[in-house]
Amino acid sequence: MHLTDSHAHIYSEQFKTDRDATLHRAFEAGVTTIVMPNIDHTSVDSMLETEARFPRQCFAMMGLHPCSVGKHFEKELYQVEDWLGKRPFAAVGECGLDLHWDKTFFAQQQEALRVQIGLAKKFKLPLVLHTREAFTETADLIEEAQDGSLGGVFHCFSGTKEEAERAIKLGFKLGIGGVATFKNGGSDKVLPEMALEHLLLETDCPYLAPVPHRGKRNEPGYLPLIARRVAELLQKDVEEVAAATTRNAQALFNL
């Protein structure tokens, strides 16, 4: 069984002391491909070092996370564009909108997303969207810019059936993570209605560890727990879920 973790911050400080061991655990668990979202200029070095150490398994994207958007976001975006012009990346991301933590720079978040949508078009790359408590606002901006060339994934999707259908209609995949294993996560009401062709699997490690590790540090090696839960909800074999979601990720990210 081969699995693709389509969203993992394996380069983060939380794995500083045991990153290699964590990755080897993931490979042994069947997670053969890991796609890494960027946060801002501070995360680039560690992300690219991780990719250089594991070039056949780890693939970097390039973007500016909405929670890193502040007064000097234009400077950050110049660096994102500069990197995108220097070498190949799997996607533009992680980008999007976040209304959970701080609404101070929401207008700047929207502008940063518009710029990154433009970069995705310019470099012909998919978008990896963060939409915490801002699904509608994010989808509105995608809809406004969609000319048939945009694709990507609504990462960490845990929304309603209507939101799932809207994301799919916009030409995007749904990134399914640890929330699918939570008792009141809501995925049991939505995922059974979704076709496998629209889904990616992700851990979003070190965050959102699946049951029975909820509340602890998440890692890519836990992805089989998410795959099994998705298989259960879709009433399919876990091997079929693994194969389809890996195929979806390979196509989306051109791996």
Side-chain angles (χ1 to χ4, degrees):
M1 188 167 74
H2 294 289
L3 288 158
T4 297
D5 188 343
S6 64
H7 199 104
H9 302 270
I10 188 63
Y11 58 81
S12 83
E13 279 288 305
Q14 292 199 36
F15 297 103
K16 190 173 183 179
T17 59
D18 66 343
R19 186 173 294 111
D20 285 18
T22 303
L23 281 165
H24 285 299
R25 274 198 299 277
F27 305 153
E28 284 165 19
V31 183
T32 52
T33 307
I34 296 167
V35 192
M36 304 179 294
N38 190 50
I39 299 297
D40 54 32
H41 76 278
T42 66
S43 53
V44 173
D45 286 351
S46 180
M47 180 180 68
L48 295 183
E49 282 165 20
T50 302
E51 185 189 58
R53 280 188 58 73
F54 299 92
R56 288 183 297 175
Q57 296 98 351
C58 295
F59 300 88
M61 36 180 124
M62 180 52 60
L64 177 64
H65 193 292
C67 293
S68 289
V69 171
K71 288 179 183 174
H72 307 295
F73 77 99
E74 292 102 333
K75 187 180 175 185
E76 288 275 1
L77 289 172
Y78 284 131
Q79 292 181 52
V80 167
E81 184 169 14
D82 187 45
W83 271 111
L84 288 167
K86 278 181 187 173
R87 46 147 287 169
F89 285 94
V92 174
E94 151 180 20
C95 57
L97 304 175
D98 191 301
L99 283 171
H100 178 74
W101 294 111
D102 186 357
K103 301 172 181 66
T104 309
F105 293 104
F106 189 60
Q108 289 88 342
Q109 283 187 36
Q110 290 172 303
E111 182 56 27
L113 178 54
R114 286 190 189 97
V115 169
Q116 290 177 94
I117 289 169
L119 292 175
K121 289 181 177 181
K122 178 180 177 180
F123 292 100
K124 296 180 172 58
L125 288 170
L127 281 163
V128 173
L129 297 170
H130 172 109
T131 62
R132 192 167 186 190
E133 293 177 25
F135 175 88
T136 300
E137 294 85 348
T138 309
D140 286 349
L141 287 180
I142 297 297
E143 198 162 28
E144 183 184 292
Q146 183 58 281
D147 55 7
S149 69
L150 284 176
V153 55
F154 280 79
H155 131 73
C156 196
F157 184 82
S158 59
T160 64
K161 183 187 172 192
E162 292 72 26
E163 288 172 338
E165 287 169 347
R166 186 178 184 197
I168 291 164
K169 192 177 176 185
L170 285 169
F172 280 67
K173 306 289 187 197
L174 309 174
I176 308 300
V179 174
T181 70
F182 297 175
K183 190 176 179 182
N184 297 312
S187 297
D188 57 322
K189 296 176 182 67
V190 179
L191 281 182
E193 307 282 333
M194 299 298 129
L196 257 178
E197 68 192 90
H198 303 307
L199 306 182
L200 301 182
L201 300 182
E202 60 170 70
T203 58
D204 196 20
C205 72
Y207 316 108
L208 295 172
V211 174
H213 305 288
R214 188 174 181 180
K216 298 174 185 169
R217 185 188 75 170
N218 198 4
E219 58 180 73
Y222 295 159
L223 197 65
L225 295 167
I226 297 164
R228 283 198 281 274
R229 176 60 173 156
V230 171
E232 182 185 307
L233 290 171
L234 295 180
Q235 298 186 319
K236 294 188 181 294
D237 291 333
V238 69
E239 289 81 6
E240 186 183 351
V241 169
T245 53
T246 288
R247 198 163 53 240
N248 295 343
Q250 287 174 335
L252 182 65
F253 297 119
N254 195 28
L255 300 175

